Amino acid sequence: MLFKIENLKKIYNKNVVLNVPELLLEEGKIYGLLGANGSGKTTLLNILAFLEKPSFGKVFYRDQAVVFSESNLQPLRREVILVDQQPILFSTTVYKNVEFGLKIRKIPKPKRDQIVRESLEKVAMASFANAEGNRLSTGETQRVAIARAIACSPQVLLLDEPTASVDMENQLMIEEIIKNLHQEMKLSVILTTHDKDQISKLVSEAIFLEKGSIKSREK
């Protein structure tokens, strides 16, 4: 099992924003988290990305209980990578944005070049390698952020509203990119969305949230 949640609650300012008694997510699927603003989608995604600690309950990743301490979380964050709804790129080239995580991991320069080139090709942004990252359109920025994520060879890709603020052309491209990455890289994918049409086109199973609770699941 990829993720298992037991009796999870997240509380902000005495308000319960997430209340999930049980959730099982299998490896190798595309899951869609669907719900209105404030339904708990992004909070759940952040917990699955090991970026937020639950107030109560347990999270299991690949059948191992997750200990929410920095020393334990760093290796997990290398396997599970989140792309935010509004990703921020450095004010340098697209190439260097994608290369950044590889430099931190001390990947040799020739190998970095290969990985950056292949990652940009996967998101149809190879021709933008020398463009300035902070001058791209919203859709182009989202695609570079996905390239930056996959360059680090994650096992699980989490996407928070990946097409929420992009034009139709980029939306269709990003949806196609997600499908291709899932098939070619064997990635498990969990994404949040408001778009029911996108759910029907992309996901193996939709999980509907309302006021912090899971209301239904549909395949």
Side-chain angles (χ1 to χ4, degrees), residues 28-30 118-125 143 146 150 154 157 159 170-189 191 201-203:
K29 292 189 173 183
I30 301 179
E118 291 175 351
S119 298
L120 288 173
E121 286 174 354
K122 282 181 169 69
V123 299
M125 289 294 290
R143 285 152 57 198
I146 293 172
I150 63 173
L157 184 63
L159 302 163
N170 271 290
Q171 177 178 327
L172 295 173
M173 289 183 71
I174 290 168
E175 289 172 352
E176 193 64 25
I177 286 164
I178 293 169
K179 285 193 288 188
N180 290 341
L181 292 176
H182 172 247
Q183 292 170 358
E184 293 172 13
M185 297 181 67
K186 310 302 182 187
L187 282 175
S188 300
V189 180
L191 60 91
K201 287 188 288 184
L202 267 184
V203 310

Side-chain angles (χ1 to χ4, degrees), residues 1-4 24 27 59-66:
M1 191 62 59
L2 183 64
F3 284 105
K4 179 182 178 183
L24 301 175
E27 198 151 0
V59 177
F60 296 83
Y61 174 66
R62 290 184 164 158
D63 301 320
Q64 297 295 315
V66 176

Side-chain angles (χ1 to χ4, degrees), residues 19-194:
N19 182 11
V20 181
E22 184 180 62
L23 178 63
L24 301 175
L25 300 175
E26 297 177 30
E27 198 151 0
K29 292 189 173 183
I30 301 179
Y31 287 97
L33 304 179
L34 194 70
N37 288 335
S39 62
K41 303 187 307 295
T42 298
T43 301
L44 177 56
L45 208 64
N46 285 336
I47 289 172
L48 295 177
F50 315 116
L51 299 175
E52 287 192 42
K53 180 181 179 180
S55 304
F56 300 99
K58 293 182 179 179
V59 177
F60 296 83
Y61 174 66
R62 290 184 164 158
D63 301 320
Q64 297 295 315
V66 176
V67 178
F68 279 83
S69 66
E70 282 302 310
S71 60
N72 287 291
L73 295 177
Q74 287 303 322
L76 301 181
R77 289 173 182 158
R78 290 174 179 260
E79 290 192 23
V80 181
I81 296 182
L82 170 66
V83 177
D84 288 320
Q85 181 177 345
Q86 296 178 318
I88 297 172
L89 300 183
F90 303 125
S91 55
T92 183
T93 64
V94 164
Y95 178 97
K96 288 183 177 178
N97 270 276
V98 177
E99 182 190 35
F100 179 73
L102 302 173
K103 290 183 77 172
I104 289 176
R105 289 163 171 77
K106 300 186 177 356
I107 305 296
K109 182 70 165 67
K111 184 65 173 175
R112 293 204 307 266
D113 288 341
Q114 177 188 347
I115 293 171
V116 171
R117 185 179 67 253
E118 291 175 351
S119 298
L120 288 173
E121 286 174 354
K122 282 181 169 69
V123 299
M125 289 294 290
S127 62
F128 288 79
N130 296 317
E132 293 183 42
N134 60 348
R135 293 181 177 271
L136 301 177
S137 72
T138 304
E140 291 163 352
T141 298
Q142 187 69 244
R143 285 152 57 198
V144 172
I146 293 172
R148 184 170 61 185
I150 63 173
C152 296
S153 302
Q155 302 295 308
V156 185
L157 184 63
L158 307 181
L159 302 163
D160 193 7
E161 300 277 0
T163 62
S165 305
V166 307
D167 57 43
M168 182 57 68
E169 180 182 358
N170 271 290
Q171 177 178 327
L172 295 173
M173 289 183 71
I174 290 168
E175 289 172 352
E176 193 64 25
I177 286 164
I178 293 169
K179 285 193 288 188
N180 290 341
L181 292 176
H182 172 247
Q183 292 170 358
E184 293 172 13
M185 297 181 67
K186 310 302 182 187
L187 282 175
S188 300
V189 180
I190 305 170
L191 60 91
T192 66
T193 184
H194 288 93

